[in-house]
Amino acid sequence: MARANRHYIPGQVWHITHRCHKKEFLLKFARDRRRWLHWLFEAKKRFGLQILNYAVTSNHVHLLVVDTKPEVVAKSIQLIAGRTAQEFNQRKNRKGAFWEDRYHATAIERNEHLVRCLVYIDLNMVRAGVVTHPAEWEMNGYNETPDRYAIIDRHSLLEACGFPDYGSFAEQHRKWVEDALKKGMNREGHWTESIAVGSSAFITDTQRKMGCSAKGRKLEEQVDGASFLREDAEPYHAHFTGKSEVLSPGNAFFWDDYDVVPVG
């Protein structure tokens, strides 16, 4: 299967997920998760990556970002994934793939769907049964403090969610999380497996902007009113292993399309 070109849609919010190779727990130690966060912060400095939320778990990561310029997202993922893998393999004297060959990007509409996706990322480790509240998991945007080393772009976050100041957003954010905890956290695959999630009008517009890559995909309605552009899973050949896996292909991108940016 040929390499996909990542879709660049100015101002679009993308929910990005990237898994460790064969779903191995290669990020199980806090030291390695902190290195991933270090390179995430570095991508923000180098490329101007606009980050709205994130979570790093023991075997995969979540990112909520805004598309600002061509190749910013792709180059950022390449830097973060490449450096994290290099450092881990060197320290462990390990060879072989650290990440799945591709990361997945889902377009999210800027309204209540963005809020739901934000909270979905916050509650990742709660759904996994590791913690009972996102405040108990250090490696996510929910616990970030507003200092000079903050990863989240608060101005972009407020603009995307429609809040005038961070105090009012933070208060509402806590309520969203508490409400979600009360309702229960079933896994909702459309946030990580679809091409786009939002209103039917947003889905249609996203299909148009993405062109032929979105043709033939199915628009489906959910019980809560959210629409999403469904992808069909298909086998693909991973460069690193020679083993066929099953992946939703329509919006999955190779993380190593660019050379690793030298340190310094």
Side-chain angles (χ1 to χ4, degrees):
M1 181 176 179
R3 289 184 174 229
N5 293 319
R6 201 193 73 78
H7 312 293
Y8 168 60
I9 303 177
Q12 178 58 57
V13 176
W14 297 98
H15 176 209
I16 293 172
T17 51
H18 201 186
R19 297 190 179 278
C20 294
H21 184 58
K22 294 183 178 180
K23 300 183 181 179
E24 295 180 66
F25 291 90
L26 300 178
L27 293 167
K28 64 181 178 180
F29 295 116
R31 173 179 181 176
D32 297 306
R33 295 194 294 271
R34 290 193 184 100
R35 292 308 296 168
W36 185 88
L37 289 175
H38 165 81
W39 289 111
L40 177 60
F41 182 70
E42 190 67 20
K44 176 182 177 180
K45 291 195 301 181
R46 294 190 188 194
F47 307 124
L49 182 66
Q50 288 188 6
I51 304 159
L52 306 184
N53 202 8
Y54 62 87
V56 50
T57 78
S58 296
N59 67 353
H60 70 282
V61 298
H62 292 260
L63 267 178
L64 195 62
V65 300
V66 181
D67 228 345
T68 54
K69 297 179 182 178
E71 301 183 357
V72 166
V73 174
K75 285 185 175 181
S76 295
I77 298 300
Q78 198 281 330
L79 174 69
I80 300 161
R83 289 304 186 189
T84 302
Q86 288 173 355
E87 292 179 350
F88 182 89
N89 284 353
Q90 289 173 2
R91 181 165 57 84
K92 297 286 188 178
N93 194 26
R94 175 184 179 273
K95 295 182 179 180
F98 185 95
W99 300 100
E100 290 291 351
D101 208 21
R102 309 178 198 193
Y103 65 90
H104 189 274
T106 300
I108 307 295
E109 187 172 9
R110 289 173 176 246
N111 51 21
E112 70 271 15
H113 305 292
L114 173 58
V115 170
R116 292 175 189 171
C117 186
L118 188 83
V119 175
Y120 182 82
I121 294 172
D122 290 332
L123 298 180
N124 188 275
M125 296 306 282
V126 178
R127 289 191 302 274
V130 177
V131 297
T132 59
H133 194 281
E136 299 169 7
W137 185 253
E138 179 186 0
M139 312 294 181
N140 63 29
Y142 184 85
N143 287 319
E144 185 171 281
T145 56
D147 58 26
R148 60 182 295 191
Y149 300 108
I151 292 172
I152 291 176
D153 185 324
R154 296 199 167 191
H155 175 76
S156 297
L157 179 60
L158 295 178
E159 182 181 33
C161 294
F163 281 81
D165 59 82
Y166 190 76
S168 58
F169 168 80
E171 181 179 358
Q172 186 60 54
H173 187 192
R174 287 192 292 271
K175 292 179 179 178
W176 291 332
V177 169
E178 296 304 323
D179 288 344
L181 289 170
K182 292 176 183 177
K183 293 177 181 177
M185 290 75 55
N186 295 325
R187 183 179 180 275
E188 299 173 322
H190 57 281
W191 297 117
T192 58
E193 298 166 5
S194 303
I195 292 178
V197 178
S199 65
S200 58
F202 171 76
I203 299 297
T204 300
D205 188 53
T206 301
Q207 281 185 290
R208 178 185 60 80
K209 291 176 178 177
M210 291 174 64
C212 62
S213 61
K215 288 182 179 178
R217 304 300 178 185
K218 299 176 181 178
L219 178 64
E220 300 187 12
E221 288 284 342
Q222 284 196 286
V223 176
D224 62 5
S227 299
F228 58 96
L229 192 59
R230 172 67 71 183
E231 298 178 299
D232 296 322
E234 69 177 30
Y236 80 103
H237 182 78
H239 296 303
F240 295 147
T241 66
K243 180 182 178 181
S244 291
E245 302 285 348
V246 172
L247 181 73
S248 296
N251 211 31
F253 310 98
F254 293 90
W255 65 266
D256 58 347
D257 277 343
Y258 300 90
D259 295 332
V260 173
V261 181
V263 176

